[in-house]
């Protein structure tokens, strides 16, 4: 990086973080061993893609698993995901090799082992990461007990409610957690209200869902919704009926987001299980033929709800920019999954900064499963941000560095607080 | 900007302009007050998007409106549209603050007031902008009287003819302006011929239309078109019948463009009124799922007509590049609306310059409603152009600066004259 | 180029090439005159697009044709295709002018004439290009005789088998070359097996096909396939029946690719004959609305087949990156046709290097019809690669230059040998 971008980057690193989306388990927030690091789906799916059979990855444990993965990590040395690993190993485990190889994997494994055993490890990670809080992804029936909800901020994840009510186990969990049956539209609605009540009482600051590319929300008539629910429960719903029920529940959620003033995170574009024999969490892909125009009814109807939106493809970023520029309730949210690489982050970020009001942009979230990944992933983003602000603002527009840093502070931290205020 | 790009930019600024697309009113070409500047839809829609209620924007007048807008301009300080405002205020009103704030808005308002009151203001703007002529957007019934058509060049805008014949007021205006009834296909055709006659007699140099993303022109049989027109006039046309009539009129326009040797500007991709409660002119968006392949019949059939094409999304730029590279009658035209930001201009421009014959590229048009915006908008484009030519031609290919400047002159000015020659 | 990128580029140029896709005729691999150079469809279609009538291009021969083309080459001076011509003329013909003009065209024609007459010209081109082998595109009935298949590597092109069995001449050629009738599914299958036998016996290292954007492979039942074949032969197949037959043959090919361990090159997205009156080979375009998700059944079913994939649009590159990152049998292959310009190569390359295992990437192929084009086209790619590796790896990630060169060697050469190993 050139000197100016480097200087900005060093300032950005000092800004304390609240990470607005992750999959952290608050009861086990950090890695227990290197397996929790190298077992992150990015490494298992890329190693599998590079040629390592799935069973070599998934039936091994402990150092045996690491040893297998290490045979294929060389094929990933070019990837940005690999660079997270190297930075993580250096920052947290004092492991300074340029690459992780079959020869040095044992050394890394041991270094991780001894570091992760430290009793204050969670605190150390929070401090080194300058992390002050992190949003979770909680199942609707999560009891939300036994952790500090100021630090680990609950977020109601709703994919199962919208897409999985056909599974009896989901309906049973709904009943157990909400006190209401999932068998009628009225009781569903009441039960979902109870979930919102419980989540917001425990400090939840968002409702979230991931959606397939062909989802086009349209509120069904209640009678239609009832018929669809009956069919889904009987297990003989047509695709249209299943979609009708999804729509009905989706709009219930939107209604409650309005009532409880919760932002509704939409993560748009994923198709689950495209590669059914892939490794765990390495099976989902997409069809890029999708449009935010599919959501125009929702955005028009639910004007009082903020929709922080993540798009799966960089192709869709211009729609996100344009819809956020026009609709007051549509906002940009991070760089998701297949778009979470510098080539797409920088392209997408540049357009967002140039055309979306700055108070409507959430710069980044880690999406991490273990706290150790928050730092290298945010650093990747901060490097992108420093290049964009250095070139397009300080150099091209003549902004002072202070002004650029102020802008970075707002999208890295300030907006997380104003856009997800909690109740 | 680095020194080389800066040097090129300074040369580009000296090239006198003919702006090939705008919404200038030739009877009121410049702003009357700062409201005409800050009332540009970019500022009102972005301020609304950033949180300012529509009624605060649209019910206020004079400084009251400015005061309201100023409360939200800080949220837009990152946007490129804001940078036009700052450059405009500095260039034309001598206002040198880095930002427009609630504190200094009065000072800017007053500076604008006294400047805009000058009797030679129109001439001053033309001179400072090095502007020699500017294309208008004229309704089909515009009398085209009372202005200098060498300076303000008429352009026949045809959206209403293609999409709004169902409105009685449009049919009445058609009858009044063309002398023909809109009630039969034959009289429609005759009347449209009369409009072309009148427009070209007054120096029109283009016919233009904006089109929705699902438009796929196909010439209907005359009998079908007649039936469709009857249904549209009766007000009970199906969507297919309405589309048939649109197609019939669209091909009439293409036929007359051939007969009168007028280029037919196609502006592809907009959906009107997506956010129906948005501010004035801030309601239109798009669905990016559209293809230039939808136009293959038109391009094949009307080989004698030049189609300067604007695409609404950067996603579609590669199609525009490829179709312009293959079809002699398809050409590239500026950077439109949601693609009119440097992040997309540079990306799209780079591909166009690398693969489309240079005599088929219109670099830029301002799309401005008031002349004061021509300069800052063209400057944004010229900065993009200078970076692309500096990096990709002077540095990467070893071109001399003179050669790069020659290329810029052609797409900034020369091609406007050769591609829109007038009759 | 800056010094670092230049230094890398100079190293990349030294890496000996095996070009994994071309249209070279092994019996006439080099140009016979400048007409074979300027007759490349890029120049004829761009000159036609720039205004030169088709008949001026296609009815002239010898210097007359060159003279015509030279009148329009100035309009192409900006294009990257023109830069190949200038580099080719300088490298191979010692022609040092900055542009090819009507004034100097004779001089270039003569220089080409005398150079191309040299008896060792083929060897000279191989040497100057550091070319060790080049893949061909062979019709299914190519006898594959009379050339060195180590140098000119056969590749079975299958578009005709999948899409043209309705043509009697194709069926006759199939019969003559395979010894089997094309009249039943069983004999088709047997005959295709014979073709694979013959091709692999002659050293074929890939099977290849180009596909329209709406192709979505799905294996039909054998009875359906039989009915469809009958209808196609009778000449009264519906579009669905024709597609069923295409699917049946396509899956036969995939089955044989598995049996013969041949990679199956898929080149996705082209529509043939969109501009029917275009010059030879200058008629094909595309509809960008296509998705790799259309291939999910194929990728899941044929896990043992490697699919090197070329996409026609940069829009689709992110899908290619994501599918190659998840599916072990999906790999990236070069930068095809309308995406083969630096603006798209650099964008697409950057994302591929950041997220696809490096052992699954084929950097580039020339697609050339004459050997003289291999060098300037690969040089264009190597310049893109040097900029990406200089900026994103050596500067941004702190890689040593040696490490970057190793990565380049793998995607420029090493992977061609491991991914297309031959039988």
């Amino acid at each position: 990086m050139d000197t100016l971008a480097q200087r900005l980057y060093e300032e950005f690193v000092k800004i304390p973080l609240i990470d607005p989306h992750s999959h952290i388990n608050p009861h086990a927030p950090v890695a227990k061993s290197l397996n929790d690091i190298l077992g992150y789906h990015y490494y298992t799916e890329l190693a599998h893609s590079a040629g390592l059979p799935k069973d070599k990855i998934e039936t091994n444990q402990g150092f045996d698993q690491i040893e297998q993965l290490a045979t294929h990590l060389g094929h990933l040395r070019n990837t940005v995901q690999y660079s997270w690993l190297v930075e993580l190993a250096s920052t947290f485990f004092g492991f300074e090799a340029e690459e992780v190889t079959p020869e040095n994997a044992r050394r890394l494994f041991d270094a991780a082992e001894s570091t992760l055993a430290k009793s204050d490890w969670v605190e150390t990670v929070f401090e080194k990461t300058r992390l002050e809080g992190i949003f979770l992804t909680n199942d609707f029936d999560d009891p939300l007990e036994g952790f500090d909800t100021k630090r680990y901020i609950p977020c109601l994840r709703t994919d199962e409610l919208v897409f999985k009510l056909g599974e009896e186990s989901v309906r049973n969990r709904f009943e157990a957690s909400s006190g209401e049956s999932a068998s009628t539209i009225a009781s569903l609605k009441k039960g979902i209200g109870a979930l919102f009540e419980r989540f917001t009482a425990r400090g939840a600051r968002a409702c979230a869902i991931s959606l397939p590319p062909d989802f086009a929300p349209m509120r069904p008539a209640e009678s239609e919704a009832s018929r669809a629910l009956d069919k889904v429960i009987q297990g003989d719903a047509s695709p249209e009926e299943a979609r009708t029920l999804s729509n009905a529940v989706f709009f219930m959620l939107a209604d409650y987001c309005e009532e409880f003033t919760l932002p509704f995170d939409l993560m748009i574009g994923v198709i689950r299980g495209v590669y059914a024999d892939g490794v765990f969490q390495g099976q989902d892909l997409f069809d890029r033929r999708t449009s935010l125009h599919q959501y125009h009814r929702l955005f028009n109807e639910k004007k009082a709800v903020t929709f922080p939106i993540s798009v799966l493809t960089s192709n869709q970023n211009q729609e996100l920019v344009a819809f956020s520029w026009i609709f007051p309730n549509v906002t940009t949210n991070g760089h998701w999954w297949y778009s979470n690489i510098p080539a797409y982050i920088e392209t997408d970020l540049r357009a967002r900064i140039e055309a979306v009001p700055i108070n409507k942009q959430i710069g980044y979230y880690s999406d991490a499963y273990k706290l150790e990944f928050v730092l290298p992933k945010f650093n990747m983003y901060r490097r992108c941000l420093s290049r964009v602000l250095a070139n397009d603002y300080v150099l091209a527009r003549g902004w002072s560095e202070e002004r650029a840093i102020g802008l970075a502070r707002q999208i890295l931290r300030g907006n997380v607080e104003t856009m997800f205020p909690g109740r």
Side-chain angles (χ1 to χ4, degrees), chain A:
Chain A
M1 254 190 302
D2 67 42
T3 326
L4 168 61
Q6 182 65 33
R7 214 156 50 224
L8 291 177
Y9 172 75
E10 279 159 18
E11 292 302 315
F12 299 169
V13 166
K14 294 179 192 161
I15 300 167
L17 297 175
I18 296 175
D19 181 345
H21 176 63
S22 84
H23 295 267
I24 295 296
N25 174 356
H27 308 293
V30 293
K32 288 203 166 54
S33 71
L34 189 61
N35 301 78
D36 281 345
I37 303 293
L38 271 176
Y40 195 11
H41 68 83
Y42 288 101
Y43 305 112
T44 56
E45 70 202 13
L46 283 166
H48 177 51
S49 172
L52 188 61
K54 179 181 169 178
D55 64 336
K56 300 263 188 202
I57 299 168
E58 301 199 337
T59 60
N60 286 298
Q61 294 181 326
F63 185 67
D64 290 346
Q65 186 193 37
I66 304 300
E67 203 169 20
Q68 287 296 335
L69 286 167
T71 61
H72 280 65
L73 287 178
H75 298 310
L76 318 184
R77 69 189 188 282
N78 53 297
T79 65
V80 73
Q81 294 87 0
Y82 186 90
S83 77
W84 307 338
L85 174 67
V86 171
E87 183 168 1
L88 187 162
S90 160
T91 307
F92 289 118
F93 306 144
F95 181 83
E96 295 297 350
E98 201 169 49
E99 300 201 6
V100 180
T101 65
E103 289 69 38
N104 65 24
R106 182 86 231 181
R107 188 155 58 81
L108 176 58
F109 185 79
D110 292 342
E113 209 75 339
S114 68
T115 305
L116 298 172
K118 290 183 183 157
S119 63
D120 60 349
W121 185 240
V122 171
E123 289 312 313
T124 304
V125 178
F126 268 97
E127 269 164 40
K128 282 204 177 184
T129 309
R130 286 189 171 86
L131 184 64
E132 297 186 344
I134 186 162
F135 284 45
L136 311 177
T137 290
N138 303 96
D139 288 345
F140 66 83
D141 60 341
D142 190 317
L144 306 176
E145 299 292 346
F147 59 86
D148 173 3
T149 60
K150 291 274 177 284
R151 178 171 261 192
Y152 302 105
I153 299 154
C155 169
L156 172 59
R157 185 67 175 248
T158 57
D159 300 47
E160 291 179 310
L161 297 172
V162 171
F163 297 108
K164 300 283 182 193
L165 284 181
E167 298 180 11
E168 197 179 346
S169 63
V170 173
R171 295 197 301 275
N172 290 342
R173 287 166 48 213
F174 180 78
E175 221 161 306
S177 61
S178 74
E180 300 290 335
S181 151
S183 63
T184 71
I185 290 293
S187 61
L188 253 183
K189 198 180 289 186
K190 210 167 152 204
I192 292 176
L195 300 179
F196 271 76
E197 196 62 72
R198 185 161 56 80
F199 268 77
T200 52
R202 288 292 294 155
R205 282 162 67 175
C207 176
I209 190 167
S210 74
L211 298 157
D214 62 349
F215 195 68
M218 179 144 42
R219 191 190 286 274
E222 187 134 344
S223 56
E224 265 187 286
S226 283
R227 255 195 313 276
L229 176 57
D230 292 348
K231 291 305 222 45
V232 165
I233 291 176
Q234 288 157 34
D236 61 351
S238 68
E240 290 68 35
E241 288 162 337
R243 191 49 60 100
T244 296
L245 179 60
S246 293
N247 266 303
V249 177
F250 183 83
F251 272 93
M252 283 179 207
L253 296 171
D255 290 342
Y256 281 120
C257 282
E258 177 166 0
E259 186 179 330
F260 287 85
T261 56
L262 273 196
F264 196 177
D265 285 355
L266 308 182
M267 308 170 85
I268 292 173
V270 64
I271 306 180
R272 302 289 174 182
V274 173
Y275 173 37
D277 294 332
V279 299
F280 178 63
Q281 295 184 327
Q283 306 175 2
D284 307 334
L285 279 160
F286 55 88
D287 183 321
R288 70 200 176 91
R289 293 169 299 179
T290 181
S291 173
L292 281 184
H293 188 252
Q294 297 166 205
Y295 292 79
H296 70 98
R297 290 178 211 88
L298 176 73
F299 299 152
N300 275 292
E301 185 187 329
K302 307 306 296 180
K303 289 197 177 64
V305 177
T306 298
F307 295 99
I309 291 187
S310 300
V311 290
L312 195 53
T313 67
S314 179
N315 273 198
Q316 198 167 14
N317 187 63
Q318 192 176 4
E319 285 193 344
L320 180 54
V321 167
F323 279 70
S324 299
W325 148 357
I326 292 298
F327 277 102
N329 55 337
V330 175
T331 69
T332 69
N333 194 15
H335 299 269
W336 189 35
W337 203 340
Y338 292 111
S339 291
N340 185 31
I341 65 173
Y344 296 126
I345 293 172
E346 274 187 51
T347 306
D348 295 351
L349 173 60
R350 202 179 168 201
R352 292 181 194 178
I353 300 202
E354 283 177 357
V356 176
I358 197 65
N359 62 335
K360 299 180 68 188
Q361 303 191 39
I362 295 291
Y364 196 69
Y365 51 75
S366 75
D367 220 353
Y369 284 77
K370 293 295 170 190
L371 284 178
E372 289 87 347
F373 279 103
V374 176
L375 182 145
K377 293 180 90 172
F378 264 93
N379 280 352
M380 171 185 69
Y381 174 74
R382 286 183 284 227
R383 286 185 194 103
C384 294
L385 183 63
S386 70
R387 281 189 289 261
V388 169
L389 292 182
N391 290 328
D392 295 0
Y393 287 77
V394 179
L395 296 180
R397 288 212 210 162
W399 278 35
S400 70
E401 294 180 37
E402 289 64 37
R403 216 175 157 203
I405 294 163
L407 197 146
R409 184 172 290 117
Q410 187 167 355
I411 68 176
L412 272 166
R413 171 59 184 265
N415 289 341
V416 177
E417 299 186 273
T418 54
M419 288 170 60
F420 297 102
R423 219 182 161 188

